[in-house]
PDB file of all heavy atoms in Angstrom:
ATOM      1  N   CYS A   1      53.788-106.899-192.722  1.00  0.00           N
ATOM      2  CA  CYS A   1      52.716-107.135-191.730  1.00  0.00           C
ATOM      3  C   CYS A   1      51.443-106.350-192.078  1.00  0.00           C
ATOM      4  O   CYS A   1      50.358-106.907-192.036  1.00  0.00           O
ATOM      5  CB  CYS A   1      53.213-106.755-190.326  1.00  0.00           C
ATOM      6  SG  CYS A   1      51.998-106.862-189.039  1.00  0.00           S
ATOM      7  N   HIS A   2      51.625-105.078-192.402  1.00  0.00           N
ATOM      8  CA  HIS A   2      50.435-104.196-192.629  1.00  0.00           C
ATOM      9  C   HIS A   2      50.095-104.130-194.101  1.00  0.00           C
ATOM     10  O   HIS A   2      48.932-103.722-194.432  1.00  0.00           O
ATOM     11  CB  HIS A   2      50.710-102.795-192.134  1.00  0.00           C
ATOM     12  CG  HIS A   2      50.678-102.722-190.665  1.00  0.00           C
ATOM     13  ND1 HIS A   2      51.716-102.139-189.957  1.00  0.00           N
ATOM     14  CD2 HIS A   2      49.818-103.186-189.728  1.00  0.00           C
ATOM     15  CE1 HIS A   2      51.423-102.186-188.658  1.00  0.00           C
ATOM     16  NE2 HIS A   2      50.294-102.860-188.501  1.00  0.00           N
ATOM     17  N   ASN A   3      50.957-104.551-195.017  1.00  0.00           N
ATOM     18  CA  ASN A   3      50.664-104.501-196.462  1.00  0.00           C
ATOM     19  C   ASN A   3      50.142-103.135-196.873  1.00  0.00           C
ATOM     20  O   ASN A   3      49.308-103.048-197.757  1.00  0.00           O
ATOM     21  CB  ASN A   3      49.652-105.568-196.878  1.00  0.00           C
ATOM     22  CG  ASN A   3      50.157-106.969-196.593  1.00  0.00           C
ATOM     23  OD1 ASN A   3      51.289-107.325-196.896  1.00  0.00           O
ATOM     24  ND2 ASN A   3      49.329-107.779-195.956  1.00  0.00           N
ATOM     25  N   THR A   4      50.641-102.075-196.201  1.00  0.00           N
ATOM     26  CA  THR A   4      50.145-100.716-196.514  1.00  0.00           C
ATOM     27  C   THR A   4      50.921-100.046-197.630  1.00  0.00           C
ATOM     28  O   THR A   4      50.466 -99.017-198.108  1.00  0.00           O
ATOM     29  CB  THR A   4      50.231 -99.849-195.262  1.00  0.00           C
ATOM     30  OG1 THR A   4      51.554 -99.820-194.771  1.00  0.00           O
ATOM     31  CG2 THR A   4      49.299-100.334-194.132  1.00  0.00           C
ATOM     32  N   LYS A   5      52.094-100.633-197.997  1.00  0.00           N
ATOM     33  CA  LYS A   5      52.888-100.017-198.965  1.00  0.00           C
ATOM     34  C   LYS A   5      53.891-101.007-199.498  1.00  0.00           C
ATOM     35  O   LYS A   5      54.011-102.102-198.956  1.00  0.00           O
ATOM     36  CB  LYS A   5      53.627 -98.777-198.390  1.00  0.00           C
ATOM     37  CG  LYS A   5      54.649 -99.127-197.296  1.00  0.00           C
ATOM     38  CD  LYS A   5      55.137 -97.899-196.597  1.00  0.00           C
ATOM     39  CE  LYS A   5      56.545 -98.060-196.051  1.00  0.00           C
ATOM     40  NZ  LYS A   5      57.606 -97.841-197.020  1.00  0.00           N
ATOM     41  N   SER A   6      54.588-100.633-200.527  1.00  0.00           N
ATOM     42  CA  SER A   6      55.707-101.446-201.016  1.00  0.00           C
ATOM     43  C   SER A   6      57.014-100.908-200.428  1.00  0.00           C
ATOM     44  O   SER A   6      56.999 -99.805-199.850  1.00  0.00           O
ATOM     45  CB  SER A   6      55.755-101.479-202.517  1.00  0.00           C
ATOM     46  OG  SER A   6      55.911-100.237-203.068  1.00  0.00           O
ATOM     47  N   PHE A   7      58.077-101.615-200.557  1.00  0.00           N
ATOM     48  CA  PHE A   7      59.338-101.157-199.999  1.00  0.00           C
ATOM     49  C   PHE A   7      59.744 -99.860-200.653  1.00  0.00           C
ATOM     50  O   PHE A   7      59.653 -99.694-201.866  1.00  0.00           O
ATOM     51  CB  PHE A   7      60.472-102.197-200.199  1.00  0.00           C
ATOM     52  CG  PHE A   7      60.328-103.377-199.299  1.00  0.00           C
ATOM     53  CD1 PHE A   7      59.784-104.555-199.770  1.00  0.00           C
ATOM     54  CD2 PHE A   7      60.734-103.310-197.997  1.00  0.00           C
ATOM     55  CE1 PHE A   7      59.662-105.688-198.936  1.00  0.00           C
ATOM     56  CE2 PHE A   7      60.661-104.420-197.156  1.00  0.00           C
ATOM     57  CZ  PHE A   7      60.106-105.607-197.636  1.00  0.00           C
ATOM     58  N   ASP A   8      60.205 -98.907-199.817  1.00  0.00           N
ATOM     59  CA  ASP A   8      60.820 -97.653-200.324  1.00  0.00           C
ATOM     60  C   ASP A   8      62.028 -97.991-201.176  1.00  0.00           C
ATOM     61  O   ASP A   8      62.722 -98.978-200.908  1.00  0.00           O
ATOM     62  CB  ASP A   8      61.187 -96.730-199.216  1.00  0.00           C
ATOM     63  CG  ASP A   8      60.006 -96.151-198.486  1.00  0.00           C
ATOM     64  OD1 ASP A   8      58.879 -96.127-199.042  1.00  0.00           O
ATOM     65  OD2 ASP A   8      60.187 -95.668-197.340  1.00  0.00           O
ATOM     66  N   ASP A   9      62.291 -97.176-202.182  1.00  0.00           N
ATOM     67  CA  ASP A   9      63.407 -97.466-203.068  1.00  0.00           C
ATOM     68  C   ASP A   9      64.734 -97.649-202.325  1.00  0.00           C
ATOM     69  O   ASP A   9      65.486 -98.611-202.599  1.00  0.00           O
ATOM     70  CB  ASP A   9      63.572 -96.344-204.121  1.00  0.00           C
ATOM     71  CG  ASP A   9      62.500 -96.382-205.177  1.00  0.00           C
ATOM     72  OD1 ASP A   9      61.824 -97.455-205.352  1.00  0.00           O
ATOM     73  OD2 ASP A   9      62.276 -95.342-205.835  1.00  0.00           O
ATOM     74  N   GLU A  10      65.016 -96.789-201.359  1.00  0.00           N
ATOM     75  CA  GLU A  10      66.290 -96.871-200.643  1.00  0.00           C
ATOM     76  C   GLU A  10      66.352 -98.064-199.717  1.00  0.00           C
ATOM     77  O   GLU A  10      67.415 -98.465-199.222  1.00  0.00           O
ATOM     78  CB  GLU A  10      66.658 -95.595-199.928  1.00  0.00           C
ATOM     79  CG  GLU A  10      65.800 -95.280-198.710  1.00  0.00           C
ATOM     80  CD  GLU A  10      64.512 -94.470-199.063  1.00  0.00           C
ATOM     81  OE1 GLU A  10      64.240 -94.209-200.278  1.00  0.00           O
ATOM     82  OE2 GLU A  10      63.799 -94.095-198.142  1.00  0.00           O
ATOM     83  N   LEU A  11      65.226 -98.698-199.439  1.00  0.00           N
ATOM     84  CA  LEU A  11      65.146 -99.890-198.523  1.00  0.00           C
ATOM     85  C   LEU A  11      64.704-101.143-199.248  1.00  0.00           C
ATOM     86  O   LEU A  11      64.416-102.164-198.634  1.00  0.00           O
ATOM     87  CB  LEU A  11      64.266 -99.578-197.311  1.00  0.00           C
ATOM     88  CG  LEU A  11      64.713 -98.453-196.411  1.00  0.00           C
ATOM     89  CD1 LEU A  11      63.651 -98.101-195.383  1.00  0.00           C
ATOM     90  CD2 LEU A  11      66.008 -98.857-195.697  1.00  0.00           C
ATOM     91  N   ARG A  12      64.690-101.077-200.569  1.00  0.00           N
ATOM     92  CA  ARG A  12      64.166-102.275-201.322  1.00  0.00           C
ATOM     93  C   ARG A  12      65.033-103.530-201.078  1.00  0.00           C
ATOM     94  O   ARG A  12      64.527-104.637-201.192  1.00  0.00           O
ATOM     95  CB  ARG A  12      64.241-101.933-202.848  1.00  0.00           C
ATOM     96  CG  ARG A  12      63.729-103.089-203.674  1.00  0.00           C
ATOM     97  CD  ARG A  12      63.000-102.731-204.928  1.00  0.00           C
ATOM     98  NE  ARG A  12      61.960-101.822-204.837  1.00  0.00           N
ATOM     99  CZ  ARG A  12      60.703-102.100-204.478  1.00  0.00           C
ATOM    100  NH1 ARG A  12      60.387-103.298-204.155  1.00  0.00           N
ATOM    101  NH2 ARG A  12      59.820-101.138-204.491  1.00  0.00           N
ATOM    102  N   TYR A  13      66.328-103.333-200.714  1.00  0.00           N
ATOM    103  CA  TYR A  13      67.180-104.467-200.454  1.00  0.00           C
ATOM    104  C   TYR A  13      66.643-105.378-199.328  1.00  0.00           C
ATOM    105  O   TYR A  13      66.946-106.548-199.237  1.00  0.00           O
ATOM    106  CB  TYR A  13      68.602-103.995-200.128  1.00  0.00           C
ATOM    107  CG  TYR A  13      68.700-103.164-198.860  1.00  0.00           C
ATOM    108  CD1 TYR A  13      68.938-103.779-197.639  1.00  0.00           C
ATOM    109  CD2 TYR A  13      68.560-101.791-198.914  1.00  0.00           C
ATOM    110  CE1 TYR A  13      69.004-103.012-196.461  1.00  0.00           C
ATOM    111  CE2 TYR A  13      68.653-101.036-197.765  1.00  0.00           C
ATOM    112  CZ  TYR A  13      68.859-101.658-196.548  1.00  0.00           C
ATOM    113  OH  TYR A  13      68.940-100.880-195.417  1.00  0.00           O
ATOM    114  N   ILE A  14      65.803-104.828-198.455  1.00  0.00           N
ATOM    115  CA  ILE A  14      65.280-105.583-197.346  1.00  0.00           C
ATOM    116  C   ILE A  14      64.400-106.748-197.865  1.00  0.00           C
ATOM    117  O   ILE A  14      64.359-107.826-197.306  1.00  0.00           O
ATOM    118  CB  ILE A  14      64.426-104.698-196.397  1.00  0.00           C
ATOM    119  CG1 ILE A  14      65.358-103.635-195.776  1.00  0.00           C
ATOM    120  CG2 ILE A  14      63.780-105.528-195.296  1.00  0.00           C
ATOM    121  CD1 ILE A  14      64.619-102.570-195.031  1.00  0.00           C
ATOM    122  N   GLU A  15      63.749-106.551-199.014  1.00  0.00           N
ATOM    123  CA  GLU A  15      62.948-107.615-199.612  1.00  0.00           C
ATOM    124  C   GLU A  15      63.829-108.782-199.964  1.00  0.00           C
ATOM    125  O   GLU A  15      63.478-109.955-199.733  1.00  0.00           O
ATOM    126  CB  GLU A  15      62.221-107.096-200.833  1.00  0.00           C
ATOM    127  CG  GLU A  15      61.284-108.080-201.503  1.00  0.00           C
ATOM    128  CD  GLU A  15      60.459-107.469-202.582  1.00  0.00           C
ATOM    129  OE1 GLU A  15      60.862-106.437-203.137  1.00  0.00           O
ATOM    130  OE2 GLU A  15      59.400-108.105-202.868  1.00  0.00           O
ATOM    131  N   ASN A  16      65.040-108.514-200.523  1.00  0.00           N
ATOM    132  CA  ASN A  16      65.935-109.587-200.842  1.00  0.00           C
ATOM    133  C   ASN A  16      66.464-110.262-199.548  1.00  0.00           C
ATOM    134  O   ASN A  16      66.579-111.498-199.505  1.00  0.00           O
ATOM    135  CB  ASN A  16      67.137-109.064-201.620  1.00  0.00           C
ATOM    136  CG  ASN A  16      66.744-108.634-203.017  1.00  0.00           C
ATOM    137  OD1 ASN A  16      65.740-109.162-203.578  1.00  0.00           O
ATOM    138  ND2 ASN A  16      67.443-107.662-203.602  1.00  0.00           N
ATOM    139  N   PHE A  17      66.766-109.483-198.536  1.00  0.00           N
ATOM    140  CA  PHE A  17      67.215-110.043-197.270  1.00  0.00           C
ATOM    141  C   PHE A  17      66.135-110.976-196.667  1.00  0.00           C
ATOM    142  O   PHE A  17      66.424-112.060-196.211  1.00  0.00           O
ATOM    143  CB  PHE A  17      67.525-108.960-196.233  1.00  0.00           C
ATOM    144  CG  PHE A  17      68.845-108.239-196.497  1.00  0.00           C
ATOM    145  CD1 PHE A  17      69.661-108.532-197.552  1.00  0.00           C
ATOM    146  CD2 PHE A  17      69.217-107.239-195.624  1.00  0.00           C
ATOM    147  CE1 PHE A  17      70.859-107.907-197.779  1.00  0.00           C
ATOM    148  CE2 PHE A  17      70.434-106.565-195.850  1.00  0.00           C
ATOM    149  CZ  PHE A  17      71.262-106.898-196.867  1.00  0.00           C
ATOM    150  N   TYR A  18      64.866-110.521-196.792  1.00  0.00           N
ATOM    151  CA  TYR A  18      63.776-111.354-196.236  1.00  0.00           C
ATOM    152  C   TYR A  18      63.671-112.624-197.063  1.00  0.00           C
ATOM    153  O   TYR A  18      63.557-113.711-196.475  1.00  0.00           O
ATOM    154  CB  TYR A  18      62.463-110.563-196.259  1.00  0.00           C
ATOM    155  CG  TYR A  18      61.308-111.467-195.904  1.00  0.00           C
ATOM    156  CD1 TYR A  18      61.085-111.822-194.606  1.00  0.00           C
ATOM    157  CD2 TYR A  18      60.428-111.927-196.895  1.00  0.00           C
ATOM    158  CE1 TYR A  18      60.047-112.717-194.263  1.00  0.00           C
ATOM    159  CE2 TYR A  18      59.380-112.751-196.575  1.00  0.00           C
ATOM    160  CZ  TYR A  18      59.190-113.159-195.242  1.00  0.00           C
ATOM    161  OH  TYR A  18      58.161-113.984-194.910  1.00  0.00           O
ATOM    162  N   ASN A  19      63.682-112.525-198.356  1.00  0.00           N
ATOM    163  CA  ASN A  19      63.601-113.730-199.234  1.00  0.00           C
ATOM    164  C   ASN A  19      64.757-114.696-198.918  1.00  0.00           C
ATOM    165  O   ASN A  19      64.575-115.899-198.913  1.00  0.00           O
ATOM    166  CB  ASN A  19      63.597-113.311-200.698  1.00  0.00           C
ATOM    167  CG  ASN A  19      62.306-112.648-201.076  1.00  0.00           C
ATOM    168  OD1 ASN A  19      61.261-112.820-200.445  1.00  0.00           O
ATOM    169  ND2 ASN A  19      62.347-111.819-202.105  1.00  0.00           N
ATOM    170  N   ASP A  20      65.959-114.150-198.694  1.00  0.00           N
ATOM    171  CA  ASP A  20      67.091-114.987-198.331  1.00  0.00           C
ATOM    172  C   ASP A  20      66.855-115.707-196.990  1.00  0.00           C
ATOM    173  O   ASP A  20      67.234-116.833-196.785  1.00  0.00           O
ATOM    174  CB  ASP A  20      68.372-114.166-198.204  1.00  0.00           C
ATOM    175  CG  ASP A  20      68.905-113.704-199.526  1.00  0.00           C
ATOM    176  OD1 ASP A  20      68.461-114.175-200.556  1.00  0.00           O
ATOM    177  OD2 ASP A  20      69.843-112.831-199.526  1.00  0.00           O
ATOM    178  N   SER A  21      66.180-115.016-196.084  1.00  0.00           N
ATOM    179  CA  SER A  21      65.939-115.600-194.767  1.00  0.00           C
ATOM    180  C   SER A  21      64.903-116.700-194.855  1.00  0.00           C
ATOM    181  O   SER A  21      64.914-117.697-194.071  1.00  0.00           O
ATOM    182  CB  SER A  21      65.496-114.543-193.754  1.00  0.00           C
ATOM    183  OG  SER A  21      64.167-114.120-194.001  1.00  0.00           O
ATOM    184  N   VAL A  22      63.980-116.596-195.807  1.00  0.00           N
ATOM    185  CA  VAL A  22      62.963-117.614-196.005  1.00  0.00           C
ATOM    186  C   VAL A  22      63.589-118.929-196.446  1.00  0.00           C
ATOM    187  O   VAL A  22      63.226-120.032-196.063  1.00  0.00           O
ATOM    188  CB  VAL A  22      61.873-117.185-196.982  1.00  0.00           C
ATOM    189  CG1 VAL A  22      60.943-118.327-197.408  1.00  0.00           C
ATOM    190  CG2 VAL A  22      61.049-116.046-196.401  1.00  0.00           C
ATOM    191  N   SER A  23      64.653-118.796-197.301  1.00  0.00           N
ATOM    192  CA  SER A  23      65.384-119.987-197.739  1.00  0.00           C
ATOM    193  C   SER A  23      66.529-120.331-196.827  1.00  0.00           C
ATOM    194  O   SER A  23      67.328-121.198-197.119  1.00  0.00           O
ATOM    195  CB  SER A  23      65.908-119.730-199.174  1.00  0.00           C
ATOM    196  OG  SER A  23      66.794-118.693-199.187  1.00  0.00           O
ATOM    197  N   TRP A  24      66.613-119.710-195.677  1.00  0.00           N
ATOM    198  CA  TRP A  24      67.606-119.940-194.630  1.00  0.00           C
ATOM    199  C   TRP A  24      69.056-119.665-195.118  1.00  0.00           C
ATOM    200  O   TRP A  24      69.999-120.211-194.571  1.00  0.00           O
ATOM    201  CB  TRP A  24      67.466-121.343-194.052  1.00  0.00           C
ATOM    202  CG  TRP A  24      66.159-121.498-193.341  1.00  0.00           C
ATOM    203  CD1 TRP A  24      64.923-121.687-193.907  1.00  0.00           C
ATOM    204  CD2 TRP A  24      65.939-121.472-191.940  1.00  0.00           C
ATOM    205  NE1 TRP A  24      63.974-121.758-192.952  1.00  0.00           N
ATOM    206  CE2 TRP A  24      64.568-121.651-191.711  1.00  0.00           C
ATOM    207  CE3 TRP A  24      66.780-121.287-190.823  1.00  0.00           C
ATOM    208  CZ2 TRP A  24      64.000-121.605-190.447  1.00  0.00           C
ATOM    209  CZ3 TRP A  24      66.192-121.312-189.576  1.00  0.00           C
ATOM    210  CH2 TRP A  24      64.865-121.483-189.415  1.00  0.00           C
ATOM    211  N   ASP A  25      69.183-118.781-196.078  1.00  0.00           N
ATOM    212  CA  ASP A  25      70.480-118.338-196.548  1.00  0.00           C
ATOM    213  C   ASP A  25      71.031-117.146-195.764  1.00  0.00           C
ATOM    214  O   ASP A  25      72.231-116.893-195.800  1.00  0.00           O
ATOM    215  CB  ASP A  25      70.437-117.978-198.036  1.00  0.00           C
ATOM    216  CG  ASP A  25      70.228-119.184-198.936  1.00  0.00           C
ATOM    217  OD1 ASP A  25      70.632-120.284-198.534  1.00  0.00           O
ATOM    218  OD2 ASP A  25      69.657-119.011-200.031  1.00  0.00           O
ATOM    219  N   ARG A  26      70.151-116.434-195.136  1.00  0.00           N
ATOM    220  CA  ARG A  26      70.555-115.238-194.331  1.00  0.00           C
ATOM    221  C   ARG A  26      69.731-115.188-193.084  1.00  0.00           C
ATOM    222  O   ARG A  26      68.544-115.321-193.123  1.00  0.00           O
ATOM    223  CB  ARG A  26      70.338-113.981-195.155  1.00  0.00           C
ATOM    224  CG  ARG A  26      70.742-112.714-194.436  1.00  0.00           C
ATOM    225  CD  ARG A  26      70.338-111.493-195.216  1.00  0.00           C
ATOM    226  NE  ARG A  26      70.788-111.493-196.600  1.00  0.00           N
ATOM    227  CZ  ARG A  26      71.934-110.992-197.038  1.00  0.00           C
ATOM    228  NH1 ARG A  26      72.770-110.477-196.246  1.00  0.00           N
ATOM    229  NH2 ARG A  26      72.210-111.093-198.362  1.00  0.00           N
ATOM    230  N   LYS A  27      70.400-114.925-192.002  1.00  0.00           N
ATOM    231  CA  LYS A  27      69.763-114.804-190.696  1.00  0.00           C
ATOM    232  C   LYS A  27      69.427-113.292-190.487  1.00  0.00           C
ATOM    233  O   LYS A  27      70.377-112.463-190.547  1.00  0.00           O
ATOM    234  CB  LYS A  27      70.641-115.288-189.628  1.00  0.00           C
ATOM    235  CG  LYS A  27      70.060-115.159-188.174  1.00  0.00           C
ATOM    236  CD  LYS A  27      71.115-115.761-187.265  1.00  0.00           C
ATOM    237  CE  LYS A  27      70.719-115.731-185.815  1.00  0.00           C
ATOM    238  NZ  LYS A  27      71.816-116.338-184.997  1.00  0.00           N
ATOM    239  N   LEU A  28      68.205-112.943-190.247  1.00  0.00           N
ATOM    240  CA  LEU A  28      67.797-111.606-189.945  1.00  0.00           C
ATOM    241  C   LEU A  28      67.673-111.490-188.396  1.00  0.00           C
ATOM    242  O   LEU A  28      67.112-112.403-187.771  1.00  0.00           O
ATOM    243  CB  LEU A  28      66.482-111.234-190.564  1.00  0.00           C
ATOM    244  CG  LEU A  28      66.449-111.120-192.072  1.00  0.00           C
ATOM    245  CD1 LEU A  28      65.057-110.768-192.525  1.00  0.00           C
ATOM    246  CD2 LEU A  28      67.478-110.125-192.585  1.00  0.00           C
ATOM    247  N   ILE A  29      68.239-110.418-187.838  1.00  0.00           N
ATOM    248  CA  ILE A  29      68.227-110.264-186.408  1.00  0.00           C
ATOM    249  C   ILE A  29      67.581-108.920-186.046  1.00  0.00           C
ATOM    250  O   ILE A  29      67.847-107.930-186.704  1.00  0.00           O
ATOM    251  CB  ILE A  29      69.681-110.263-185.874  1.00  0.00           C
ATOM    252  CG1 ILE A  29      70.384-111.568-186.207  1.00  0.00           C
ATOM    253  CG2 ILE A  29      69.728-110.024-184.364  1.00  0.00           C
ATOM    254  CD1 ILE A  29      71.861-111.566-185.994  1.00  0.00           C
ATOM    255  N   SER A  30      66.716-108.991-185.060  1.00  0.00           N
ATOM    256  CA  SER A  30      66.125-107.767-184.534  1.00  0.00           C
ATOM    257  C   SER A  30      66.549-107.656-183.080  1.00  0.00           C
ATOM    258  O   SER A  30      66.413-108.598-182.323  1.00  0.00           O
ATOM    259  CB  SER A  30      64.611-107.829-184.643  1.00  0.00           C
ATOM    260  OG  SER A  30      64.023-106.732-183.968  1.00  0.00           O
ATOM    261  N   LEU A  31      67.077-106.510-182.726  1.00  0.00           N
ATOM    262  CA  LEU A  31      67.392-106.292-181.328  1.00  0.00           C
ATOM    263  C   LEU A  31      66.101-105.959-180.562  1.00  0.00           C
ATOM    264  O   LEU A  31      65.309-105.125-181.025  1.00  0.00           O
ATOM    265  CB  LEU A  31      68.397-105.155-181.187  1.00  0.00           C
ATOM    266  CG  LEU A  31      69.735-105.335-181.923  1.00  0.00           C
ATOM    267  CD1 LEU A  31      70.557-104.057-181.826  1.00  0.00           C
ATOM    268  CD2 LEU A  31      70.486-106.524-181.354  1.00  0.00           C
ATOM    269  N   ASN A  32      65.932-106.546-179.363  1.00  0.00           N
ATOM    270  CA  ASN A  32      64.662-106.295-178.674  1.00  0.00           C
ATOM    271  C   ASN A  32      64.472-104.795-178.312  1.00  0.00           C
ATOM    272  O   ASN A  32      63.404-104.302-178.266  1.00  0.00           O
ATOM    273  CB  ASN A  32      64.513-107.223-177.490  1.00  0.00           C
ATOM    274  CG  ASN A  32      65.549-106.989-176.416  1.00  0.00           C
ATOM    275  OD1 ASN A  32      66.567-106.298-176.605  1.00  0.00           O
ATOM    276  ND2 ASN A  32      65.348-107.581-175.255  1.00  0.00           N
ATOM    277  N   HIS A  33      65.620-104.120-178.092  1.00  0.00           N
ATOM    278  CA  HIS A  33      65.525-102.654-177.811  1.00  0.00           C
ATOM    279  C   HIS A  33      64.925-101.914-178.983  1.00  0.00           C
ATOM    280  O   HIS A  33      64.041-101.057-178.815  1.00  0.00           O
ATOM    281  CB  HIS A  33      66.916-102.148-177.452  1.00  0.00           C
ATOM    282  CG  HIS A  33      66.950-100.659-177.402  1.00  0.00           C
ATOM    283  ND1 HIS A  33      66.383 -99.917-176.354  1.00  0.00           N
ATOM    284  CD2 HIS A  33      67.492 -99.713-178.253  1.00  0.00           C
ATOM    285  CE1 HIS A  33      66.558 -98.645-176.595  1.00  0.00           C
ATOM    286  NE2 HIS A  33      67.227 -98.469-177.766  1.00  0.00           N
ATOM    287  N   LEU A  34      65.401-102.238-180.218  1.00  0.00           N
ATOM    288  CA  LEU A  34      64.880-101.539-181.349  1.00  0.00           C
ATOM    289  C   LEU A  34      63.437-101.963-181.676  1.00  0.00           C
ATOM    290  O   LEU A  34      62.624-101.130-182.076  1.00  0.00           O
ATOM    291  CB  LEU A  34      65.821-101.824-182.593  1.00  0.00           C
ATOM    292  CG  LEU A  34      67.215-101.339-182.465  1.00  0.00           C
ATOM    293  CD1 LEU A  34      68.022-101.598-183.739  1.00  0.00           C
ATOM    294  CD2 LEU A  34      67.284 -99.871-182.135  1.00  0.00           C
ATOM    295  N   LEU A  35      63.109-103.236-181.408  1.00  0.00           N
ATOM    296  CA  LEU A  35      61.738-103.625-181.597  1.00  0.00           C
ATOM    297  C   LEU A  35      60.841-102.915-180.702  1.00  0.00           C
ATOM    298  O   LEU A  35      59.754-102.444-181.111  1.00  0.00           O
ATOM    299  CB  LEU A  35      61.664-105.162-181.344  1.00  0.00           C
ATOM    300  CG  LEU A  35      60.215-105.772-181.457  1.00  0.00           C
ATOM    301  CD1 LEU A  35      59.602-105.488-182.823  1.00  0.00           C
ATOM    302  CD2 LEU A  35      60.297-107.244-181.132  1.00  0.00           C
ATOM    303  N   SER A  36      61.219-102.673-179.453  1.00  0.00           N
ATOM    304  CA  SER A  36      60.357-101.950-178.532  1.00  0.00           C
ATOM    305  C   SER A  36      60.175-100.519-178.981  1.00  0.00           C
ATOM    306  O   SER A  36      59.098 -99.924-178.829  1.00  0.00           O
ATOM    307  CB  SER A  36      60.917-101.983-177.075  1.00  0.00           C
ATOM    308  OG  SER A  36      62.120-101.271-177.002  1.00  0.00           O
ATOM    309  N   ARG A  37      61.231 -99.907-179.538  1.00  0.00           N
ATOM    310  CA  ARG A  37      61.069 -98.557-180.068  1.00  0.00           C
ATOM    311  C   ARG A  37      60.132 -98.463-181.231  1.00  0.00           C
ATOM    312  O   ARG A  37      59.349 -97.536-181.375  1.00  0.00           O
ATOM    313  CB  ARG A  37      62.467 -97.965-180.390  1.00  0.00           C
ATOM    314  CG  ARG A  37      63.308 -97.695-179.250  1.00  0.00           C
ATOM    315  CD  ARG A  37      64.629 -97.091-179.487  1.00  0.00           C
ATOM    316  NE  ARG A  37      64.515 -95.889-180.344  1.00  0.00           N
ATOM    317  CZ  ARG A  37      65.527 -95.461-181.127  1.00  0.00           C
ATOM    318  NH1 ARG A  37      66.652 -96.085-181.162  1.00  0.00           N
ATOM    319  NH2 ARG A  37      65.390 -94.371-181.847  1.00  0.00           N
TER     320      ARG A  37
END
């Protein structure tokens, strides 16, 4: 969203998860409680 940085090394896997979700191979879920935090 902010394009302020690249993925941290320990969280780089999120990029793959996101790419999988774009091709509808993986569903990403956000809990509204965590989103509010």
Side-chain angles (χ1 to χ4, degrees):
C1 176
H2 288 130
N3 299 314
T4 57
K5 64 189 209 85
S6 59
F7 286 101
D8 289 341
D9 287 341
E10 68 272 4
L11 296 171
R12 180 148 311 277
Y13 64 90
I14 298 170
E15 184 174 22
N16 292 333
F17 284 0
Y18 173 74
N19 290 336
D20 287 350
S21 74
V22 170
S23 62
W24 294 77
D25 290 333
R26 180 186 311 268
K27 180 178 179 181
L28 293 180
I29 301 167
S30 171
L31 301 175
N32 64 349
H33 169 72
L34 298 182
L35 177 59
S36 68
R37 288 183 53 204

